[in-house]
Amino acid sequence: MRRLLSGVALLALAGCGVPPHVAQKPVIDNPATQGAFREGDALQQTGGISRDDLPARWWHLYDDPVLDGLEEQALAANIDLRVAQASLTRARAVSAAAEGQREPDFAASFGVQRARLSGESYLLEEPIPVATLGSASASMSYQIDLFGRIKHSIEAARADEEATQATIGAVKVTLAADVARAYITICGANEDRELAEHALELQGHALEIARRLQAAGRTSTVDVTAAEGRYEQLRALVPVQKARAQAALYRLAYLMGRTPTEYPREAESCNAIPQLKDPLPVGDGAALLRRRPDVRMAERRLAGATARIGVATAELYPQVGIGLSGGSLGFLKDLGQAAANMWSAGGLIRWNIPGAGARAKVRAAGADADAALARFDGVVLGALRETETALNAYAQDRDRAVAIVAAREAADKAADEARRLRAAGRSPLLADIGGRQGALGAKASELSAREGLAHDQVNLFLALGGGW
């Protein structure tokens, strides 16, 4: 067998050595995979992130007791987690069965029969009388694992078990992100609905003024109709946000293993999008690859594939075992007597001379290991790509949010100036209402930016592999 280069140093830190096989150097050994994130420099300078490692339960960073409770309840009752846990239980049983090959095999038997034996089988010419015969025996056998077949089959089973365990981690990572997304959607929809209701109230005042002016002959019917249209447009936004919030509540119920009618009431009243109080901790590439469960899963699949090369190679060599047996065979009345007792001890070598088929199985196992290494490399590169992409999106949306906040502040200032002019009698009421409507529109844009930024944060937490 070829040998997997000693690299994989990062995974060795996590206690997961890879069985020998592949000559190609794994991507994870490249120093570029373990350094600081490229997209993190600008964010760190602006205080958006820190180089601290991501905590296990990242949602605590929001300091939101409701979100904390939702996450814990989902992690305790989610259906996908139950399925993954059942798969792990099965994988552990398979590992135990493989480890059982190291133990000796025991067998015992006891039988009684009424029979007449063939006289000629004992070189007798006369028949043998009918008799009651009995037999009792016990045996022990043990296979000596000279060529590592049992050892490597156990390694393969354990690797599969650990890969399944990593699957549970992957489910938890996704679940934590899904719960946070649903909660953020609820909070954002409720906050947006409140803004829409406020805007609807203002537009109602504007419509009433337009109707009064039209009744006084100071404006046309066209202005009234336009005001009515704007009012109905704003009124249509309220049920949209209600539906968005309710759908997210039902999503939370599903994630928590509940029926829709049992959605968490504690999340229903949230009307402020959760925000981080400190820079988002991201660590570096080395910490990312140690933490992400899909990387661990792919590495364990590679370990299992390389172990199966050892199993296939061991099949080319003889199987060596030893055995011990003893018992009694004869007339039932004589069982246990010296004349009926027997015993034996010895060894057994069984060898199926390997042909082209057996050697082809070794090559096939090697090809499987090569494919597993390629998948492992792909998962590593994918984890880095996802993280850099999430960091870039977060950085760009933070810059966008800064500009939108500046626009909202300018709109607030304009609305305040219009209000003062109206109080001084230097501006009509509609101008005052228009200024306030402009400020509300700017606030709606800011809210959309804040919600998008919160979702970016969750996407980044997901890419970083946090929450398990």
Side-chain angles (χ1 to χ4, degrees):
M1 293 185 295
R2 294 169 292 168
R3 304 188 69 83
L4 182 65
L5 291 184
S6 58
V8 199
L10 187 62
L11 296 171
L13 292 176
C16 44
V18 179
H21 169 57
V22 188
Q24 184 176 350
K25 184 178 181 180
V27 169
I28 201 169
D29 279 350
N30 187 339
T33 66
Q34 303 177 30
F37 297 117
R38 178 184 181 277
E39 293 288 344
D41 293 338
L43 274 170
Q44 187 177 17
Q45 292 173 3
T46 59
I49 66 169
S50 71
R51 296 297 183 190
D52 297 336
D53 201 8
L54 184 67
R57 280 169 159 68
W58 51 263
W59 51 88
H60 291 321
L61 297 172
Y62 287 102
D63 195 22
D64 188 324
V66 175
L67 176 58
D68 293 346
L70 295 173
E71 293 282 5
E72 296 302 327
Q73 292 176 66
L75 289 171
N78 181 258
I79 300 299
D80 292 334
L81 270 179
R82 288 168 54 192
V83 173
Q85 188 61 54
S87 298
L88 177 59
T89 300
R90 182 186 182 281
R92 285 173 174 167
V94 172
S95 293
E99 291 171 358
Q101 298 176 86
R102 284 178 168 171
E103 300 174 358
D105 292 327
F106 296 93
S109 65
F110 178 79
V112 177
Q113 59 179 331
R114 183 72 175 171
R116 185 177 69 183
L117 302 179
S118 167
E120 289 191 354
S121 66
Y122 293 95
L123 302 180
L124 299 175
E125 294 183 356
E126 66 277 6
I128 298 177
V130 175
T132 301
L133 305 177
S135 64
S137 66
S139 64
M140 182 276 290
S141 62
Y142 179 76
Q143 184 174 341
I144 301 174
D145 193 27
L146 290 179
F147 303 103
R149 185 184 66 83
I150 295 176
K151 171 189 172 184
H152 290 301
S153 65
I154 293 173
E155 289 175 354
R158 286 176 177 168
D160 290 344
E161 176 189 338
E162 290 163 355
T164 304
Q165 191 165 17
T167 302
I168 294 179
V171 173
K172 288 182 177 180
V173 167
T174 304
L175 175 61
D178 285 346
V179 169
R181 287 184 183 127
Y183 183 65
I184 289 169
T185 298
I186 294 166
C187 301
N190 288 338
E191 194 172 350
D192 212 349
R193 190 193 73 244
E194 290 180 357
L195 277 178
E197 290 172 345
H198 192 185
L200 182 64
E201 181 182 358
L202 278 177
Q203 185 58 34
H205 290 322
L207 175 59
E208 181 63 24
I209 292 170
R211 285 172 175 167
R212 289 177 181 177
L213 291 174
Q214 193 270 338
R218 297 173 59 187
T219 188
S220 66
T221 305
V222 174
D223 293 333
V224 175
T225 303
E228 289 175 344
R230 289 190 292 271
Y231 180 84
E232 294 301 328
Q233 287 176 346
L234 288 171
R235 194 161 70 93
L237 294 177
V238 175
V240 171
Q241 298 304 330
K242 288 182 178 179
R244 192 161 73 98
Q246 196 62 49
L249 285 167
Y250 291 150
R251 175 65 175 163
L252 274 180
Y254 171 78
L255 295 172
M256 298 166 70
R258 303 180 184 179
T259 63
T261 57
E262 299 173 308
Y263 68 83
R265 266 58 178 182
E266 63 269 26
E268 194 172 18
S269 59
C270 177
N271 59 0
I273 297 171
Q275 297 186 48
L276 294 175
K277 296 179 175 58
D278 298 308
L280 194 154
V282 298
D284 56 18
L288 167 73
L289 298 176
R290 280 196 305 269
R291 183 173 53 244
R292 277 194 51 142
D294 57 340
V295 174
R296 169 71 172 176
M297 190 191 317
E299 184 275 329
R300 290 288 82 198
R301 296 296 185 199
L302 172 58
T306 52
R308 288 183 177 90
I309 297 175
V311 175
T313 302
E315 295 293 345
L316 302 177
Y317 301 98
Q319 295 184 17
V320 180
I322 57 174
L324 175 67
S325 65
S328 189
L329 175 64
F331 294 113
L332 183 60
K333 64 183 180 61
D334 294 332
L335 287 187
Q337 303 298 318
N341 291 344
M342 59 182 179
W343 65 270
S344 66
L348 173 66
I349 297 179
R350 185 174 68 250
W351 188 19
N352 295 324
I353 308 291
R359 298 185 185 280
K361 290 180 180 179
V362 177
R363 294 195 299 273
D368 288 342
D370 290 337
L373 175 61
R375 286 190 289 269
F376 179 38
D377 287 345
V379 170
V380 170
L381 293 176
L384 295 170
R385 174 188 60 81
E386 291 172 7
T387 303
E388 294 285 9
T389 301
L391 280 167
N392 179 265
Y394 182 47
Q396 300 305 323
D397 283 348
R398 283 186 84 248
D399 291 343
R400 175 175 174 270
V402 169
I404 289 177
V405 168
R408 191 264 303 160
E409 291 173 348
D412 286 344
K413 184 177 180 181
D416 186 59
E417 291 172 351
R419 190 179 302 110
R420 288 199 302 270
L421 289 172
R422 168 62 185 166
R426 299 170 58 188
S427 178
L429 178 59
L430 282 178
D432 180 17
I433 292 177
R436 283 186 281 171
Q437 287 177 327
L440 280 177
K443 286 181 180 178
S445 296
E446 182 187 10
L447 168 61
S448 177
R450 285 192 289 109
E451 184 174 346
L453 199 61
H455 282 293
D456 285 343
Q457 291 168 352
V458 174
N459 292 338
L460 183 52
F461 286 132
L462 177 61
L464 291 170
W468 69 303

